[in-house]
Amino acid sequence: MIGSSPNKNYLGRLAIVLHAHLPYVRKFEKNSLEEDWLYQAMLECYIPLLQVMESCKKQDINNTKLTISLSPTLLSLLQNKEIQIKFSSWINTRIEFLTDLPHKEKAASEFLLRNIKNINLYWDKCSGNLIERFKSLYLSGNLDILTCAATHGYLPILRENPKTVLGQIKTAIRSHEVIFGERPLGIWLPECAYYENLDEILFNCGIRYAVLDGHGILNGTPRPRYGVYAPICSNKGVAFFGRDSESTLPVWSAREGFPGDPVYREFHKDLGWELPLSALQKKGILTTRPLGLKFHKITNNKTSLDKKEFYKEDEAIKKVEEHSENYLISRAKQLKNLSLSTFFEPLLIAPFDAELFGHWWYEGPKFIENILRKSTKYSIKLTNLKEILLQKPNLQICDPSPSSWGQGGFHNYWLNDKNAWIVPEITKAGSVFVELSTRKFNNDFSLRLLKQAARELLLSESSDWSFILKAGTTTELAKERVDRHLFRFWKLIDMLEKRSILDYEFLKHVEEEDCIFPDIRINDWL
């Protein structure tokens, strides 16, 4: 770090930053597709990552360091008692599917059955409270936990009404504080998206650091002396860490990176696509869709799904050990080349979507485990963002550039011909809500309507739906979600303004289904 005396025991530091997020997918409907999104992420990603961190901490508490952002929507889902109760049933249904397989497939899926049962035991052991496990790792200093915008709203699109940006950030901070007992200092900006003077809003809300894509730092003013290899501090007082592409490309790229290796598990070949609909319906699953049960390997990127070979776990474990060693060797070389002077300690920031590790890349948690266990062998010090700033480094004053980590590096992935229709809709709703938030309502029922309207506004602003519309996957679901929350918002506003008859059943229904942010405050938009 700039101005400090580098530790000669290691070449430099590596900070792996994971962004754990799912949109608010709670529905009353049992076995819904959205419910599957959450439970598959819990099964394949969140619980395995917790297991890895806890295991490695026992071996080396000082070098088991990660940063993770837990989005407010994800925390709300993990905290929900009904969702917790249903997870065991969801797991047991998957176990039944595997035990009912013919002999050949049953033998090939033994590793999967064993791992799922292991996850189930962990779930029972922690009584379904994953948040407490994350909190324990935070309190020990091994995990730095960041917040995110309340519903992952794409902040540059909301900037026309700055108070809607305030609503996203302040609601997130309050939710985080209620759950973890203290206010967050760091934030994962949704899609790492930044616009001019956002740092002033962040600073005034109590946020002190965030992660940006590399060019958000490199195109800063003035140009940073150390590029992305040291954090900068904006004129408003917020520290920004820049993504290092060399440290991330080998991991996230399925085509050029590790996850595309032929021995790794094939993501797209799922038992749910192959079973007859009648078999799914016997288990209460009404439509054909992925079950999260995959036991074939990639084999070859050109091989059709029906020609994929069975997965061999020992083969994949050996390969992921090889890849993690290669990754650490490359980072060690990179850090050695970056050691420019005795007064500079290089820092590599490697941010990823957390769901890459386990869900998209099944072997990902094992990769993280190897990095945690073997980094010292290559003279690499693992760290997290909070630990870096606690050392009070001398940071260059530099204002970051507008940017995102999306395709092209700017905002076009969330503002294009597929999803631009959302922007005027949420902008209009935001303007109306901001105006209403300045009024004083003299009765509890009006405040109740306004608070639920705030929740519906936040939910309609989620960037996830814009992303899905651009990507072209489950587009009907994404459009339905935006339309649903905006419809509910306007109906609540009409009831508040006495333009429609009070519908108590409607209010009760949306309060039960969209019960996120129980501590929401209208003042957060002021």
Side-chain angles (χ1 to χ4, degrees):
M1 207 51 55
I2 307 168
S4 63
S5 299
N7 190 318
K8 300 301 181 182
N9 294 326
Y10 52 85
L11 298 166
R13 295 174 181 255
L14 170 65
I16 295 173
V17 185
L18 305 180
H19 173 48
H21 165 68
L22 280 177
Y24 189 70
V25 292
R26 185 167 182 261
K27 288 179 75 174
F28 287 146
E29 175 192 338
K30 188 178 179 182
N31 290 321
S32 68
L33 176 63
E34 298 97 319
E35 183 182 89
D36 279 358
W37 290 354
L38 173 64
Y39 289 157
Q40 287 183 31
M42 289 163 61
L43 172 70
E44 298 172 330
C45 175
Y46 308 143
I47 293 176
L49 285 173
L50 281 169
Q51 289 176 314
V52 162
M53 284 286 290
E54 290 167 354
S55 174
C56 291
K57 177 186 169 185
K58 292 176 183 176
Q59 176 187 310
D60 184 354
I61 192 170
N62 295 318
N63 213 47
T64 299
K65 298 289 176 75
L66 284 178
T67 302
I68 192 166
S69 76
L70 297 171
S71 76
T73 48
L74 174 60
L75 286 170
S76 179
L77 294 168
L78 293 178
Q79 204 178 29
N80 186 277
K81 294 297 182 186
E82 185 182 342
I83 287 174
Q84 290 177 3
I85 291 168
K86 289 163 69 177
F87 182 58
S88 292
S89 173
W90 186 91
I91 285 270
N92 289 328
T93 298
R94 269 70 193 162
I95 291 173
E96 289 172 11
F97 275 120
L98 292 176
T99 52
D100 290 344
L101 284 173
H103 177 73
K104 203 174 184 182
E105 285 81 3
K106 191 172 182 179
S109 64
E110 277 183 5
F111 79 95
L112 188 56
L113 183 61
R114 182 177 65 253
N115 291 343
I116 289 175
K117 287 181 176 179
N118 174 266
I119 295 295
N120 208 17
L121 285 173
Y122 184 91
W123 178 257
D124 289 341
K125 188 176 179 182
C126 69
S127 302
N129 194 340
L130 300 185
I131 292 175
E132 274 303 308
R133 295 300 183 110
F134 282 115
K135 185 176 180 180
S136 177
L137 289 165
Y138 169 77
L139 292 174
S140 66
N142 298 97
L143 196 62
D144 180 18
I145 301 179
L146 314 182
T147 189
C148 185
T151 58
H152 214 265
Y154 195 79
L155 302 183
I157 282 176
L158 301 178
R159 67 184 296 185
E160 185 172 330
N161 293 318
K163 290 173 183 176
T164 60
V165 176
L166 271 178
Q168 282 277 347
I169 295 170
K170 286 187 174 182
T171 302
I173 290 171
R174 176 167 291 103
S175 175
H176 186 101
E177 184 177 14
V178 168
I179 292 170
F180 291 106
E182 61 181 78
R183 294 171 66 85
L185 295 175
I187 191 170
W188 178 281
L189 297 173
E191 318 301 351
C192 294
Y194 181 81
Y195 66 87
E196 302 93 333
N197 299 320
L198 177 58
D199 57 330
E200 183 172 9
I201 293 177
L202 296 176
F203 185 86
N204 290 337
C205 290
I207 294 296
R208 294 296 177 263
Y209 57 98
V211 179
L212 295 182
D213 198 69
H215 61 280
I217 302 292
L218 295 174
N219 295 329
T221 307
R223 190 173 177 85
R225 184 180 302 113
Y226 296 104
V228 296
Y229 306 115
I232 61 170
C233 183
S234 74
N235 277 286
K236 300 300 193 300
V238 178
F240 290 94
F241 296 84
R243 181 176 76 95
D244 171 42
S245 59
E246 281 188 65
S247 300
T248 54
L249 185 64
V251 178
W252 68 259
S253 175
R255 181 171 296 179
E256 302 173 48
F258 305 140
D261 194 277
V263 306
Y264 288 148
R265 195 178 75 157
E266 171 62 58
F267 174 80
H268 297 285
K269 188 173 176 64
D270 188 290
L271 184 61
W273 295 122
E274 299 176 0
L275 289 174
L277 181 58
S278 58
L280 296 174
Q281 290 176 337
K282 284 180 182 177
K283 307 287 188 187
I285 300 168
L286 302 181
T287 58
T288 300
R289 64 166 182 268
L291 295 171
L293 301 177
K294 314 168 201 289
F295 46 88
H296 291 77
K297 60 183 178 180
I298 293 172
T299 311
N300 187 301
N301 282 323
K302 295 180 181 178
T303 304
S304 61
L305 290 179
D306 61 318
K307 297 290 194 303
K308 298 289 184 180
E309 298 173 13
F310 286 134
Y311 181 81
K312 297 178 180 177
E313 187 180 37
D314 56 346
E315 186 179 49
I317 289 174
K318 185 177 180 182
K319 180 59 68 174
V320 82
E321 289 175 354
E322 177 188 322
H323 280 154
S324 60
E325 295 267 359
N326 291 342
Y327 181 81
L328 288 169
I329 290 169
S330 296
R331 301 290 72 72
K333 288 179 180 177
Q334 187 182 4
L335 287 168
K336 190 173 182 180
N337 291 335
L338 287 168
S339 297
L340 304 176
S341 74
T342 56
F343 295 101
F344 174 67
E345 183 181 291
L347 168 68
L348 304 178
I349 301 294
F352 306 96
D353 282 326
E355 292 77 20
L356 168 65
F357 298 91
H359 180 60
W360 298 103
W361 180 23
Y362 185 67
E363 297 77 15
K366 183 63 70 174
F367 177 85
I368 293 287
E369 181 178 5
N370 280 300
I371 298 299
L372 295 176
R373 292 191 189 280
K374 298 179 181 180
S375 57
T376 52
K377 173 183 172 183
Y378 295 94
S379 301
I380 297 171
K381 180 76 174 80
L382 297 181
T383 187
N384 56 48
L385 303 189
K386 184 177 182 180
E387 182 179 67
I388 293 163
L389 295 178
L390 283 174
Q391 295 173 354
K392 299 182 179 178
N394 295 321
L395 305 185
Q396 181 180 353
I397 303 299
C398 176
D399 285 325
S401 169
S403 54
S404 82
W405 77 341
Q407 187 180 42
F410 295 101
H411 310 311
N412 57 306
Y413 208 88
W414 294 271
L415 187 61
N416 52 70
D417 60 347
K418 304 290 185 185
N419 54 33
W421 63 270
I422 296 175
V423 179
E425 296 292 335
I426 60 175
T427 301
K428 180 182 177 182
S431 297
V432 167
F433 183 81
V434 167
E435 192 279 323
L436 283 170
S437 69
T438 63
R439 299 190 202 173
K440 290 190 176 180
F441 293 94
N442 297 320
N443 61 80
D444 291 340
F445 187 73
S446 293
L447 188 58
R448 183 178 158 193
L449 287 169
L450 194 59
K451 284 185 175 182
Q452 192 57 39
R455 295 184 184 101
E456 302 302 335
L457 175 65
L458 289 170
L459 291 167
S460 72
E461 291 170 345
S462 169
S463 72
D464 300 279
W465 313 128
S466 295
F467 183 91
I468 290 172
L469 288 167
K470 170 61 177 172
T473 60
T474 59
T475 53
E476 287 303 313
L477 184 151
K479 185 178 186 305
E480 187 273 331
R481 276 282 175 167
V482 176
D483 288 342
R484 178 200 303 189
H485 294 306
L486 286 173
F487 169 79
R488 291 177 175 181
F489 172 83
W490 288 116
K491 183 163 182 175
L492 291 162
I493 295 302
D494 284 345
M495 291 164 63
L496 183 68
E497 294 281 70
K498 298 180 172 55
R499 289 193 291 261
S500 66
I501 298 171
L502 295 180
D503 189 337
Y504 295 97
E505 284 302 312
F506 169 80
L507 177 58
K508 182 182 177 184
H509 174 76
V510 297
E511 282 180 329
E512 288 177 355
E513 188 162 84
D514 297 338
C515 58
I516 195 170
F517 308 133
D519 300 289
I520 200 164
R521 294 186 187 174
I522 305 305
N523 285 343
D524 287 343
W525 276 260
L526 298 179

